[in-house]
Amino acid sequence: MKRVFLIVLDSVGIGEMPDVAEYGDEGSNTLKAASTSSYFSMPSMQKLGLFNIEGVDCRPPVSGFRGAVARLTESSKGKDTTIGHWEIAGIISDSPMPTFPHGFPDNLIHALEEQTGRKVLCNKPYSGTDVIRDYGEEHMKTGALIVYTSADSVFQIAAHESVVPIDELYHCCEIARALCTGSYGVGRVIARPFEGTPGNFRRTSRRHDFSLVPPHTTMLDVLKENGKSVLSVGKIYDIFAGKGITDFVRTSGNSEGIERTLEFLDKDFEGLCFTNLVDYDMLYGHRNDIDGYAKALTEFDERLPQIIEKLREDDILMITADHGCDPSTPSTDHSREYTPLVMYGKPLKQGINLGTRKTFSDIAATILEFMDLKGNINGSSFWKIIKK
């Protein structure tokens, strides 16, 4: 049985792309920024060839590295989670998803208020932790929904779980998802439940993303249609709106994501296990926490030998990212960066460097060729180059 374990280290970019000025992200290099921390240590990834990737210079390359590596270029227009993951799965987006730097239009907000029966607070770009600090008390007094956005294509609704029960919050987000189409078609509507008291609010783990349905066939659809398993760990199910997924588990963060992936490694299936490890982006990149980012990368590197040990004879491990989120720049937003691709498995040659690839979608094309499948997706397979 052929299995691929595809792990996305959310936001672990490796340096600015040529069009970085169009996105205001000059100087961004997420991995290099994290490597300046004394907590940064990635010897396992180093042995697989991470620091041999073109343009990566934060640690010395190694001779005789054990993996196959490449630097990936984002061909899509944008730098958000949805577009990045869709491109990994074979869709190249010609235009970025809409953002709302001045808040959402009045007619959209009024429609949400009418259909949910609740008023709206805020309606501005905001940090998720700051918005509940500044609006949480008023929300608890009035029952109004806290609506906010960011530099990403997101419509976020925060509510205290004792004021708006979680099922109602999800329903409000479903209403918002139905409203956010066309020119308002944000990539994700996100439920952001929180708890606690004024001055001590904290977000809970019951976040839920309501994404646009991918507009074209993805690698996941091809695998599923051909009887293969497509297992989602973390927010992959939400990013693809469930399309092409055969089984899924949600996670509270990186540690649980790694544990669930290890569990799937012990199960019999043929197909893909697609994991997103979100903490790099959500907890550290967006909060400009260099040390936190470095610690999270170190933790993954320490767990990587467990993953490798469980790989079977025909398994392939792929580790990549979906965009950057440099914790050292003034911005707290995603950054337009190249991403790494590190691969390992007994079916692969060792010490292969593919240079810089034109699109994230080469991952999808390669996985399908490895599985002896064909699909109408973007990307060029490099399977024949890396296979033994």
Side-chain angles (χ1 to χ4, degrees):
M1 292 188 294
K2 294 181 178 180
R3 307 188 303 174
V4 176
F5 291 85
L6 175 56
I7 300 176
V8 176
L9 309 182
D10 200 305
S11 86
V12 183
I14 55 172
E16 61 180 46
M17 282 178 43
D19 61 356
V20 68
E22 298 176 25
Y23 298 84
D25 295 328
E26 296 93 329
S28 295
N29 190 326
T30 301
L31 181 64
K32 192 168 187 175
S35 75
T36 63
S37 169
S38 61
Y39 296 102
F40 180 86
S41 177
M42 301 192 78
S44 298
M45 286 287 278
Q46 186 173 32
K47 290 174 184 175
L48 295 186
L50 174 63
F51 304 115
N52 291 74
I53 294 175
E54 193 168 302
V56 175
D57 61 359
C58 53
R59 290 292 187 275
V62 296
S63 59
F65 61 91
R66 300 172 59 204
V69 300
R71 179 169 72 166
L72 301 182
T73 306
E74 185 164 22
S75 293
S76 298
K77 298 298 183 182
K79 55 177 182 176
D80 63 68
T81 294
T82 301
I83 280 180
H85 280 77
W86 284 3
E87 185 167 332
I88 289 169
I91 295 176
I92 295 176
S93 304
D94 296 328
S95 58
M97 293 178 174
T99 56
F100 296 87
H102 305 293
F104 299 100
D106 290 343
N107 61 329
L108 180 61
I109 294 299
H110 292 159
L112 181 70
E113 290 177 331
E114 182 177 332
Q115 293 188 36
T116 62
R118 290 183 180 271
K119 292 293 185 181
V120 163
L121 297 172
C122 186
N123 189 27
K124 301 174 186 176
Y126 235 101
S127 156
T129 50
D130 290 350
V131 79
I132 59 176
R133 177 198 66 201
D134 295 346
Y135 289 91
E137 187 170 4
E138 184 179 356
H139 156 74
M140 294 190 73
K141 291 177 180 177
T142 64
L145 301 171
I146 304 172
V147 171
Y148 65 107
T149 186
S150 73
D152 300 331
S153 183
V154 292
F155 187 110
Q156 303 186 86
I157 304 179
H160 197 287
E161 292 192 5
S162 70
V163 176
V164 180
I166 195 70
D167 288 342
E168 183 185 350
L169 176 58
Y170 290 166
H171 181 61
C172 291
C173 288
E174 289 171 348
I175 292 170
R177 178 72 277 172
L179 292 170
C180 290
T181 58
S183 60
Y184 301 153
V186 294
R188 290 173 293 158
V189 173
I190 307 176
R192 293 287 197 177
F194 65 98
E195 61 187 5
T197 55
N200 191 34
F201 291 128
R202 55 196 172 274
R203 295 195 288 192
T204 73
S205 63
R206 283 173 283 277
R207 161 188 170 154
H208 185 52
D209 293 31
F210 299 79
S211 296
L212 284 174
V213 176
H216 307 296
T217 298
T218 71
M219 161 186 65
L220 313 185
D221 299 314
V222 178
L223 290 167
K224 183 178 179 181
E225 289 164 6
N226 283 276
K228 310 299 183 186
S229 297
V230 182
L231 313 176
S232 160
V233 178
K235 64 180 184 178
I236 298 297
Y237 182 91
D238 295 333
I239 291 168
F240 290 90
K243 190 169 181 284
I245 306 291
T246 62
D247 194 9
F248 68 97
V249 289
R250 292 194 170 94
T251 61
S252 59
N254 284 6
S255 293
E256 187 178 3
I258 294 168
E259 288 297 331
R260 300 292 84 79
T261 302
L262 288 168
E263 289 171 5
F264 277 131
L265 275 156
D266 287 332
K267 293 186 177 181
D268 294 330
F269 69 93
E270 183 166 40
L272 173 68
C273 175
F274 198 171
T275 297
N276 175 280
L277 301 181
V278 70
D279 288 352
Y280 311 105
D281 182 66
M282 181 177 69
L283 297 183
Y284 309 117
H286 285 305
R287 299 181 187 180
N288 285 352
D289 183 350
I290 296 173
D291 285 344
Y293 209 117
K295 288 176 182 178
L297 284 170
T298 298
E299 179 188 4
F300 172 75
D301 196 82
E302 290 171 346
R303 303 295 301 277
L304 183 55
Q306 292 178 262
I307 295 172
I308 290 174
E309 186 180 350
K310 287 179 176 287
L311 292 174
R312 298 179 183 176
E313 197 71 22
D314 294 321
D315 290 350
I316 292 176
L317 172 65
M318 293 183 165
I319 302 167
T320 190
D322 53 340
H323 52 71
C325 194
D326 190 322
S328 70
T329 60
S331 169
T332 58
D333 302 322
H334 293 163
S335 43
R336 178 77 167 171
E337 298 184 46
Y338 292 107
T339 61
L341 176 60
V342 176
M343 298 168 283
Y344 180 77
K346 292 181 180 179
L348 307 184
K349 296 175 184 175
Q350 295 187 4
I352 299 295
N353 194 327
L354 298 170
T356 298
R357 305 291 295 189
K358 293 181 179 179
T359 171
F360 297 177
S361 291
D362 289 357
I363 292 175
T366 301
I367 289 173
L368 291 183
E369 186 174 6
F370 169 64
M371 293 286 179
D372 300 314
L373 299 174
K374 294 181 179 180
N376 185 24
I377 61 169
N378 288 291
S380 298
S381 171
F382 46 78
W383 172 241
K384 289 182 174 64
I385 303 173
I386 64 173
K387 71 174 183 176
K388 284 183 178 177

